[in-house]
Amino acid sequence: MKRNLLLILSTLFLVLALILLGNMLVIGDKVSLLHPALGWLFYLLILFLIVRFLLYPVYRVLRAPATPSLDPEQLPADKEELVSYGKLLACNNCHITDKKRAETAQGKSVKKDKGLRSSGDTRGIVPGDRSPAETDG
């Protein structure tokens, strides 16, 4: 059942992509009748839009780091390993740019959460690390 559905959907997607590509070629041909440079400009614009809004998001998703497993049976028992595991979890958003972090901290992207920590900060999460309240007083 899944295989048939996948085959039907992929065929439908391929047909729609070919129709869209054919229409883009027709439009580019009609634009190039006005001036050949306009035709090439149109094709470059289409190429840029495909790369920017189709290929680049796929690339970003594929390059994002995987979240480590949180299965209690797979967690390390040694304290040093547990601390490094906690730091790995805390640094899981290191691929986010500083601009996005600043927007998040200012509350532009999401609501400001007072419990947000900087990447690598495991105080109060990993046993044995000192909490911020302990270091202040």
Side-chain angles (χ1 to χ4, degrees), residues 1 5-6 14 20-21 24-25 46 55 57 61 70 75 80 85 90-92 95 98 102 105 111 115 129 132:
M1 176 71 179
L5 182 62
L6 184 63
L14 184 63
L20 186 64
L21 180 66
M24 290 297 151
L25 289 174
I46 294 300
L55 298 178
V61 168
L70 292 176
L75 287 177
E80 288 82 25
Y85 186 79
C91 190
N92 196 34
H95 64 283
D98 289 335
K111 283 185 165 180
D129 281 354

Side-chain angles (χ1 to χ4, degrees), residues 117 121-132 134:
R117 302 172 189 275
D121 184 12
T122 58
R123 293 175 300 190
I125 298 174
V126 177
D129 281 354
R130 299 178 69 192
S131 68
E134 294 175 49

Side-chain angles (χ1 to χ4, degrees), residues 65-85:
T67 304
S69 173
L70 292 176
D71 186 11
E73 295 173 1
Q74 294 180 355
L75 287 177
D78 188 23
K79 182 186 179 216
E80 288 82 25
E81 290 181 46
L82 196 58
V83 168
S84 67
Y85 186 79

Side-chain angles (χ1 to χ4, degrees), residues 31-42:
V31 169
S32 68
L33 290 176
L34 297 173
H35 194 279
L38 288 176
W40 284 106
L41 196 65
F42 175 77

Side-chain angles (χ1 to χ4, degrees), residues 96-106 108-109:
I96 299 174
T97 62
D98 289 335
K99 181 180 176 184
K100 294 268 186 194
R101 286 179 202 237
E103 288 175 359
T104 303
Q106 293 174 359
K108 291 181 182 176
S109 298

Side-chain angles (χ1 to χ4, degrees), residues 22-60:
N23 286 336
M24 290 297 151
L25 289 174
V26 168
I27 292 170
D29 189 39
K30 294 197 185 242
V31 169
S32 68
L33 290 176
L34 297 173
H35 194 279
L38 288 176
W40 284 106
L41 196 65
F42 175 77
Y43 290 132
L44 286 175
L45 175 69
I46 294 300
L47 181 66
F48 171 76
L49 292 175
I50 287 173
V51 168
R52 173 64 178 100
F53 293 108
L54 189 70
L55 298 178
Y56 185 67
V58 170
Y59 171 76
R60 293 255 335 229

